[in-house]
Amino acid sequence: MKSIKHSLLGIIILALLFFGIPITSAAQESDIDFDKPVVLVHGIGGSSTNFYSIERKLRSVGYSRSDLFAINFTDRSGNNYRNSRQLRDYIDDVLRRTGADQVNIIAHSMGGSNTLRYLTQLGGVSKVDKVITLGGANRLGATSVPSGVDFTSIYSSSDLIVSTSLSRISGANNIHVYGVSHLGLLTNSRVQNLIVENLKN
């Protein structure tokens, strides 16, 4: 009986592989809370389009387009004062539109600093579950992560724009990767796998 079950399982796996169906997606999805929308926060001179590759990755593990929200700052100079306030209003609108209690944030570059100022100065902690920064200029926004937020900082020693000393921050899960440029953090497959891993509960 066991041999029959093993044979059937083998046939199913072969069929999934033949038709190109990813057999790991269910395992990847199982620990992600899809009830929390994801807010994508760009850096200086950036825009929502910076996250095209990350959005595609997130959709591949179970997020829908309606789960993903990318802000476009009016002031693209990275101004902490203005951008953190626009981010506050944007997240309030996302929560109102989705009915969710909290969001998760993925931020690149100065977007990390803007996010930390929102968390520490504008009451954002209660509205955010997880934050993942990519080459984040985190220490320009705060010296440590506020309690109550699951914070991951992913940064690269090959980043010539934001130094690792700005990205590393007390209280975070600090992850050092190698051989990835500042903009490459937005498209690198290893980094995207780390993003998915750190969105899990």
Side-chain angles (χ1 to χ4, degrees), residues 119-190:
L119 293 173
T120 58
Q121 303 295 318
L122 300 174
V125 170
S126 65
K127 299 174 183 179
V128 177
D129 181 30
K130 301 179 190 304
V131 174
I132 300 170
T133 62
L134 310 173
N138 298 329
R139 293 179 65 83
L140 296 180
T143 56
S144 63
V145 174
S147 61
V149 178
D150 183 349
F151 199 104
T152 299
S153 174
I154 302 171
Y155 51 88
S156 173
S157 50
S158 299
D159 186 338
L160 302 180
I161 306 298
V162 175
S163 69
T164 57
S165 61
L166 275 181
S167 295
R168 281 193 305 267
I169 185 166
S170 176
N173 174 26
N174 292 296
I175 301 175
H176 190 169
V177 299
Y178 299 88
V180 184
S181 69
H182 188 63
L183 291 177
L185 290 164
L186 291 163
T187 58
N188 182 268
S189 60
R190 284 179 294 147

Side-chain angles (χ1 to χ4, degrees), residues 40-42 47-55 106-108 186:
L40 304 160
V41 185
H42 69 79
S47 72
S48 60
T49 60
N50 293 156
F51 293 97
Y52 172 78
S53 182
I54 290 173
E55 287 187 56
I106 300 172
H108 179 243
L186 291 163

